[in-house]
Amino acid sequence: VPLFESMDERLLDAICERLKPCLFTESTYIVREGDPVDEMLFIIRGRLESVTTDGGRSGFFNRGFLKETDFCGEELLTWALDPKSGSNLPSSTRTVKALTEVESFALTADELKFVASQFRRLHSRQV
């Protein structure tokens, strides 16, 4: 995952130890725009569609695709890095749907928050 290429080795190990394998079938909604984001997904195989209306803004529509080495749920990074963020999960900025069968690894919000609290170095420019 390009996001983590220059990350500290110990931090990367801590994240990898907490990843859980996930499988999504074709046409499954992973997350819907506005819903709470409870995990980051790192795609190993498959294709997903990512759509945003920028919170329902009139006339706004953006569509993209995710594949191997891509990820979603990055809203959790800012949440996890903020020591004052509390337990309210961030809202998804997009709807993500599996276009094919998708294999991925998931990092739950609680696990990411734990890793971030243990390694405040995440505040570095690398991320």
Side-chain angles (χ1 to χ4, degrees):
V1 175
L3 174 71
F4 297 142
E5 279 179 352
S6 57
M7 187 175 284
D8 176 84
E9 191 79 23
R10 289 180 301 162
L11 180 53
L12 196 54
D13 286 346
I15 289 172
C16 288
E17 287 173 6
R18 289 164 173 79
L19 293 173
K20 306 274 189 283
C22 290
L23 183 64
F24 297 96
T25 56
E26 183 178 340
S27 301
T28 302
Y29 282 90
I30 313 300
V31 66
R32 293 179 193 266
E33 188 172 1
D35 286 354
V37 177
D38 59 358
E39 64 188 9
M40 280 187 78
L41 286 182
F42 302 94
I43 294 106
I44 306 304
R45 184 182 60 81
R47 281 178 53 86
L48 299 105
E49 176 186 52
S50 171
V51 175
T52 183
T53 62
D54 196 25
R57 194 170 86 193
S58 180
F60 186 90
F61 181 83
N62 189 338
R63 180 179 182 214
F65 299 94
L66 303 171
K67 59 181 180 354
E68 297 83 14
T69 75
D70 289 332
F71 57 92
C72 60
E74 63 276 3
E75 297 91 344
L76 280 181
L77 284 175
T78 305
W79 173 83
L81 290 170
D82 182 357
K84 298 183 266 331
S85 64
S87 60
N88 290 336
L89 294 171
S91 296
S92 178
T93 58
R94 56 190 170 162
T95 295
V96 179
K97 178 182 176 182
L99 296 176
T100 64
E101 184 176 84
V102 173
E103 286 181 53
S104 64
F105 285 109
L107 182 61
T108 66
D110 290 340
E111 295 286 9
L112 182 57
K113 189 76 158 174
F114 174 78
V115 170
S117 71
Q118 298 300 309
F119 298 91
R120 284 290 166 203
R121 288 190 306 277
L122 268 175
H123 282 295
S124 74
R125 290 186 191 140
Q126 295 171 359
V127 174

